């Protein structure tokens, strides 16, 4: 993690003294989470004498926290994805919906894609959906998130504005029967 931070810093600023000083102040402000950098060699694990330093416990802590965050995020994402598909089918009377990562190898920095298919339609791009279908898809995602991480209250101001009467009725039914509401 620290090596990655150093690489990004060097790509952006090189070895300009003012930026190095600013970077050092940033590291100090972070509570000395990372080990001091040797700017002459660029090696994060060497002190000024060139003797390698042992790995810092804080780097292990950061790695452990990153792994836990990734695990928790993946677990919650899977739950939301399952609820999203079910709520979408309930709202549309069929079809399918799923969420996926744009980069499975780097989940914490990945984007998320929404794949929806209303019944009887082949959708390759979300732009092909009508305004009402986009609104119902967004409503399905919102309610899936609320099922996994409930909120004490939620303001749904004009959420049904793009819906026709039939879809307003479907939305109202979801709203009244949902345990996330």
């Amino acid at each position: 993690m620290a090596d990655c931070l150093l690489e990004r810093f060097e790509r952006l600023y090189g070895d300009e003294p003012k930026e190095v000083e600013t970077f050092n102040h940033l590291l100090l402000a972070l509570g000395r989470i990372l080990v001091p950098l040797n700017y002459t060699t660029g090696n994060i694990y060497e002190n000024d004498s060139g003797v390698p330093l042992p790995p810092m416990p804080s780097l292990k802590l950061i790695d452990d926290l990153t792994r836990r965050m990734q695990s928790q995020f993946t677990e919650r994402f899977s739950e939301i994805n399952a609820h999203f598909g079910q709520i979408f089918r309930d709202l549309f009377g069929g079809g399918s919906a799923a969420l996926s990562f744009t980069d499975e190898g780097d989940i914490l920095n990945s984007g998320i894609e929404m794949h929806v298919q209303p019944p009887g339609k082949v959708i390759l791009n979300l732009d092909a959906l009508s305004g009402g279908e986009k609104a119902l898809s967004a409503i399905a995602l919102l309610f899936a998130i609320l099922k996994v991480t409930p909120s004490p209250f939620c303001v749904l101001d004009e959420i049904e504005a793009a819906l026709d009467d039939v879809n307003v009725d479907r939305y109202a039914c979801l709203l009244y029967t949902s345990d996330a509401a």
Side-chain angles (χ1 to χ4, degrees), residues 79-158:
E79 291 176 37
I80 290 169
N81 195 15
H83 289 299
F84 175 54
Q86 183 58 51
I87 293 170
F88 182 90
R89 284 187 297 279
D90 293 345
L91 282 173
F92 280 87
S96 63
L99 302 170
S100 65
F101 294 112
T102 57
D103 182 4
E104 291 283 338
D106 189 9
I107 290 173
L108 293 180
N109 293 310
S110 175
I112 296 174
E113 291 181 339
M114 179 190 295
H115 309 278
V116 297
Q117 186 136 2
K121 289 190 175 183
V122 176
I123 302 294
L124 301 176
N125 187 333
L126 290 178
D127 290 334
L129 295 172
S130 70
E133 290 168 333
K134 288 178 185 176
L136 278 180
S137 298
I139 289 168
L141 180 58
L142 173 65
F143 276 77
I145 293 169
L146 288 173
K147 273 190 174 287
V148 174
T149 55
S151 174
F153 68 92
C154 185
V155 178
L156 302 170
D157 186 30
E158 304 231 5

Side-chain angles (χ1 to χ4, degrees), residues 23-36:
F23 188 65
N24 235 352
H25 287 295
L26 174 64
L27 292 179
L28 290 173
L30 290 173
R32 298 180 191 264
I33 292 173
L34 303 175
V35 297

